[in-house]
Amino acid sequence: MKTQLLCIFFLLHSFLLCTAAPASASASEHQSPVTTGSIVFATYERSNYAWDIFTLPTSQSHPPNPSNELRITDGESVNFNGHFPSTLPSFILSLLQNRSLIQSPKDSAPALQLIYVTERNGMPNVYYDALYYGAPRSTRSRSALEIPVRVQAPLLGLEESKNRVSMKDRPSLSGENLIYVSTHEDPGEPRTSWAAVYSTHLGTGMTRRLTPYGVADFSPAVSPSGVWTAVASYGREGWSGEVEELSTDIYVFLTRDGTHRVKVAEHGGWPCWVDDSTLYFHRKSEDQWMSVYKATFPKDKPVSTNSVTIQRVTPPGLHAFTPATSPGNHNFIAVATRRPSSNFRHIELFDTVRNEFIELTRHVAPTSHHLNPFISPDSTRVGYHKCRGETNGGKTAKLLLENVKSPVPNLSLFRAGGSFPTFSPTGDRIAYSEFPGINVVNRDGSNLRKVFSWTAFANSWNPVRKGIVYTSAGPTFSSESTEVDIVAIDVDSVDQPNYKKLTIDGKNNAFPSPSPDGKRIVFRSGRSGHKNLYIMDAIEGEIGGLQRLTDGPWTDTMCNWSPDGDLIVFASDRHNPGSGSFELYLIHPNGTGLRKLISSKSSGRTNHPWFSPDGKLIVFTTDYGGISAEPISNPHQYQPYGEIYTIKPDGSDLQRLTHNSYEDGTPSWAPFYIDPVDVESPLRVQCAFEDCRFLSKMPSRGTMVEPSGLAQPQCGA
């Protein structure tokens, strides 16, 4: 059979207008008026995800191996959190506007279809893919070598045409409606999650909020009948700052309108249904293992936490979480696991009749993380996402600058391929931390060089002296007495060493920011026993003169000088020293005029402030938007709530810019507006991201739980 790959993109006219490049796309930069600009920031390990969605058969008659693992998504961008719909492809496609533009292949076997989250085009969205094969074959025995015909459509085009930049999560189809999480509505309270569940009709685009206002919901799952939706939620209590397992409860409500909402289980997350009276969820057990539990609803009395029967399903000895079920299947569930014998997250089946595990993905890719399983309606396939790497035809170029759609006109956003990214004063080069070392690269991705080999962080360029980069050489997140020094690196020097140490006491000197005339540097130092701010000479360092700017038994840090030289913005915990909570303050370089810029509410964080080139805005990272998804559904993030915001120096016009479930941080400004276009790096994606660190904490092991069935690798992996 002649094979072919046909990818039909159905993009609504309004969606195209929303995502189109600027008309002057040939120009790479603009001398911008004060209303425009570009921000670059880092997202912890995000540049190495390169996720695609894969699937394996569940039947033990087809042992898992690379030949029967199928990659469903197309290798574009990052694709995750899939759902196998039970609705026929013809019905789904008939709902979409301009459906005449989409033609299903003739004389093909039934499609393998998928709904999933993707971050292509700089913006999270929910996509539908249907893969058609040329000859009828069992879906269990599909070969990874077969090339399908692909029909593809974004499902939320109408919503995006309203310029709603928001995170999307856990989509599923219920009748003619897409049920999913979005973060497009501001609750109006700091440190409050924007995550809520919505229902969008695929034909009309009409969207209804199902989550009550004042409440955040996560991880929705629709029951097999479509009548009920289950979520993990704090209810009215709200998020209290957890970054590992959330202290959410399980609620259910009517899918049609969100009414008849009731709590059915305390302490739980990631619900999924077997039938309308049985659902599974995960929680940390008293023995400290993440485990899967089953909730059975009563048939003869009202449903409540008192009437629902809760039963532990997975045993101690390993972490089991993010469960997946299929309609009417009481024989097995799928789970992600972390075993004491492995450093990687894998997908396994758990036989609920025999109470035993059956390993799947370890036999295919033993040293890759596999996340968030989901099962096909007929129970024959399990899906999950993982890094596609160099295999399977994936596009694995690492991006130096990834365009992230901005909710603000004339402001472009870029996720950098390294930490603490900063543009040179002329905008032609970028310096960033690689841990260890500092790299400098041209803005077009060429001429990548390592200019400093030590561990270093918090980089800034001298605005006057060409090629001089300041950084903090030493370990991060360390005490006042830790040896960290400010160094000036001449990135164009051919002589070695190419740096000069500017501080001499080694007492945690960090976060250098030069004055606009390039003559002085403000930085933080722990030399007094507390981290406070100081100013020194930019050429000679502290031996050329040292001024103490702040003084107190607290931490002042992450300072940045305004472009007119009149103000310094910094983060401080002076309102509650040692609490880990930081707020932003402004001060004049002579030590006068101290004032708070923004409060962080109780225990909140606002960090890494940076003035815009015209001084009219300050960008920073914060937990003002709360948390957007269950942290366990992602790889490790130190702070899985950081989003990028801007604010004016007078404290007005607070604006959220990014929406995701990652940790966005260390933002800075480019010297001018840059068109929102991806820039590739010469580096390749390494798939080297870290799993949640709390899953590496194994409780007392006791009896090890070993899988049965496919106990030995079937492919020599």
Side-chain angles (χ1 to χ4, degrees):
M1 181 189 70
K2 181 178 179 181
T3 60
Q4 58 179 328
L5 178 61
L6 172 64
C7 185
I8 304 172
F9 288 99
F10 165 62
L11 296 175
L12 299 175
H13 177 66
S14 56
F15 182 79
L16 282 168
L17 292 176
C18 177
T19 59
S24 57
S26 60
S28 61
E29 62 191 58
H30 308 278
Q31 295 300 321
S32 53
V34 295
T35 55
T36 70
S38 295
I39 293 170
V40 62
F41 62 93
T43 303
Y44 183 71
E45 292 192 338
R46 164 63 173 72
S47 60
N48 279 319
Y49 286 177
W51 287 337
D52 265 323
I53 295 178
F54 293 76
T55 180
L56 281 168
T58 59
S59 171
Q60 292 195 54
S61 63
H62 296 88
N65 61 72
S67 69
N68 60 18
E69 182 188 53
L70 294 177
R71 180 166 64 91
I72 309 177
T73 48
D74 58 7
E76 294 286 343
S77 185
V78 173
N79 308 294
F80 57 98
N81 287 358
H83 163 73
F84 289 126
S86 58
T87 309
L88 291 175
S90 58
F91 178 75
I92 295 176
L93 296 176
S94 72
L95 292 173
L96 301 176
Q97 292 192 9
N98 295 333
R99 54 186 176 270
S100 61
L101 299 177
I102 304 175
Q103 295 182 0
S104 302
K106 297 179 180 180
D107 303 322
S108 293
L112 176 62
Q113 52 180 346
L114 176 73
I115 291 172
Y116 60 101
V117 180
T118 184
E119 294 184 351
R120 63 193 68 201
N121 303 316
M123 174 175 56
N125 201 350
V126 178
Y127 266 47
Y128 169 78
D129 282 18
L131 275 62
Y132 294 85
Y133 293 84
R137 290 183 58 187
S138 167
T139 59
R140 297 182 182 182
S141 60
R142 287 289 174 201
S143 168
L145 299 178
E146 291 183 82
I147 301 177
V149 175
R150 180 186 302 275
V151 173
Q152 185 177 82
L155 297 183
L156 292 176
L158 287 176
E159 181 192 352
E160 297 310 326
S161 69
K162 301 173 184 176
N163 206 34
R164 289 178 176 172
V165 176
S166 66
M167 187 205 79
K168 308 296 189 300
D169 198 24
R170 286 211 81 184
S172 60
L173 193 62
S174 176
E176 300 180 358
N177 294 284
L178 185 72
I179 311 299
Y180 59 98
V181 169
S182 180
T183 58
H184 64 262
E185 289 189 288
D186 184 353
E189 289 290 330
R191 298 197 82 226
T192 300
S193 175
W194 295 30
V197 176
Y198 295 84
S199 173
T200 296
H201 188 272
L202 293 183
T204 65
M206 182 175 295
T207 298
R208 175 195 294 269
R209 181 183 173 116
L210 302 181
T211 299
Y213 286 97
V215 173
D217 286 340
F218 312 98
S219 311
V222 180
S223 68
S225 70
V227 173
W228 299 101
T229 293
V231 295
S233 179
Y234 289 103
R236 296 285 177 181
E237 296 180 4
W239 177 61
S240 59
E242 303 101 333
V243 296
E244 295 183 356
E245 186 208 11
L246 302 185
S247 57
T248 52
D249 302 319
I250 304 298
Y251 289 76
V252 300
F253 52 76
L254 287 177
T255 305
R256 68 170 183 262
D257 57 10
T259 61
H260 295 275
R261 183 183 177 101
V262 61
K263 183 194 296 186
V264 298
E266 295 184 338
H267 183 197
W270 207 264
C272 54
W273 301 83
V274 173
D275 53 49
D276 279 30
S277 62
T278 309
L279 60 79
Y280 289 80
F281 61 92
H282 64 213
R283 70 159 64 139
K284 181 179 285 187
S285 302
E286 292 182 358
D287 55 23
Q288 300 304 299
W289 293 103
M290 285 297 300
S291 303
V292 174
Y293 287 74
K294 181 170 73 171
T296 305
F297 298 173
K299 297 181 179 180
D300 55 353
K301 53 180 140 180
V303 174
S304 70
T305 54
N306 294 324
S307 63
V308 172
T309 301
I310 306 296
Q311 174 187 358
R312 184 173 182 172
V313 176
T314 58
L318 80 170
H319 293 304
F321 48 95
T322 57
T325 54
S326 53
N329 180 1
H330 293 271
N331 296 319
F332 65 85
I333 61 174
V335 295
T337 65
R338 273 294 303 276
R339 292 181 173 272
S341 58
S342 175
N343 292 325
F344 295 91
R345 183 187 302 205
H346 281 293
I347 305 304
E348 305 188 30
L349 302 181
F350 184 76
D351 188 320
T352 54
V353 178
R354 299 181 179 180
N355 292 326
E356 58 188 25
F357 287 95
I358 302 170
E359 291 188 293
L360 294 179
T361 58
R362 188 179 68 84
H363 302 302
V364 177
T367 57
S368 295
H369 292 298
H370 302 73
L371 295 88
N372 304 354
F374 55 101
I375 302 177
S376 61
D378 62 2
S379 303
T380 62
R381 284 199 165 272
V382 60
Y384 48 87
H385 61 269
K386 68 175 183 178
C387 184
R388 55 185 167 264
E390 296 286 348
T391 60
N392 300 296
K395 299 178 181 179
T396 55
K398 188 172 183 177
L399 293 179
L400 172 67
L401 296 174
E402 179 187 3
N403 165 46
V404 175
K405 183 171 175 58
S406 170
V408 179
N410 303 314
L411 176 65
S412 58
L413 301 174
F414 295 94
R415 177 180 289 118
S419 299
F420 296 94
T422 55
F423 279 92
S424 63
T426 56
D428 60 332
R429 294 187 287 184
I430 303 169
Y432 63 89
S433 297
E434 189 65 14
F435 296 113
I438 302 293
N439 289 346
V440 170
V441 62
N442 292 345
R443 196 179 79 236
D444 63 3
S446 64
N447 196 27
L448 174 66
R449 298 177 295 127
K450 176 163 284 192
V451 298
F452 190 68
S453 59
W454 300 359
T455 295
F457 61 98
N459 313 304
S460 59
W461 296 76
N462 187 293
V464 177
R465 298 171 62 209
K466 186 176 184 296
I468 301 299
V469 171
Y470 303 106
T471 192
S472 319
T476 60
F477 302 110
S478 48
S479 67
E480 286 80 357
S481 60
T482 302
E483 185 173 353
V484 183
D485 277 302
I486 306 296
V487 299
I489 306 167
D490 185 345
V491 302
D492 297 320
S493 174
V494 296
D495 299 325
Q496 294 296 327
N498 63 341
Y499 64 89
K500 177 180 179 179
K501 190 164 71 168
L502 300 182
T503 52
I504 58 178
D505 73 337
K507 296 294 180 66
N508 209 326
N509 305 288
F511 292 97
S513 176
S515 59
D517 61 7
K519 295 180 178 180
R520 294 182 292 169
I521 295 173
V522 63
F523 66 102
R524 76 107 195 270
S525 178
R527 63 190 61 208
S528 70
H530 301 285
K531 295 176 181 176
N532 292 152
L533 301 186
Y534 297 78
I535 296 175
M536 66 178 173
D537 185 86
I539 298 176
E540 299 300 326
E542 64 177 275
I543 64 172
L546 186 69
Q547 169 198 344
R548 184 164 190 166
L549 184 61
T550 63
D551 185 359
W554 49 68
T555 293
D556 297 330
T557 186
M558 303 175 188
C559 40
N560 183 255
W561 217 309
S562 67
D564 64 2
D566 186 53
L567 289 170
I568 291 169
V569 63
F570 63 96
S572 178
D573 69 352
R574 58 179 58 209
H575 59 286
N576 191 3
S579 66
S581 174
F582 284 84
E583 300 181 333
L584 297 187
Y585 292 80
L586 291 163
I587 193 171
H588 295 300
N590 64 5
T592 65
L594 177 71
R595 61 183 171 89
K596 184 183 294 188
L597 175 63
I598 186 170
S599 174
S600 297
K601 201 178 177 182
S602 174
S603 304
R605 298 191 181 200
T606 52
N607 297 104
H608 299 290
W610 197 289
F611 276 98
S612 62
D614 60 11
K616 295 188 175 183
L617 287 175
I618 296 170
V619 66
F620 60 99
T621 183
T622 182
D623 62 358
Y624 247 56
I627 204 161
S628 297
E630 295 189 52
I632 201 171
S633 66
N634 275 322
H636 172 66
Q637 304 283 318
Y638 286 100
Q639 299 168 158
Y641 48 71
E643 303 288 353
I644 306 301
Y645 279 66
T646 57
I647 194 171
K648 289 184 177 178
D650 64 4
S652 65
D653 289 350
L654 181 68
Q655 172 74 52
R656 180 174 179 172
L657 299 181
T658 62
H659 291 257
N660 56 63
S661 58
Y662 316 132
E663 179 187 357
D664 294 338
T666 64
S668 66
W669 292 80
F672 43 69
Y673 178 83
I674 300 172
D675 284 338
V677 178
D678 291 346
V679 177
E680 288 191 1
S681 163
L683 303 176
R684 309 297 289 176
V685 170
Q686 300 299 312
C687 293
F689 52 86
E690 186 180 5
D691 200 8
C692 296
R693 290 189 176 179
F694 64 90
L695 293 175
S696 298
K697 300 174 184 177
M698 301 293 173
S700 177
R701 297 186 182 183
T703 302
M704 294 291 293
V705 178
E706 295 296 341
S708 64
L710 303 172
Q712 297 298 322
Q714 301 297 308
C715 57

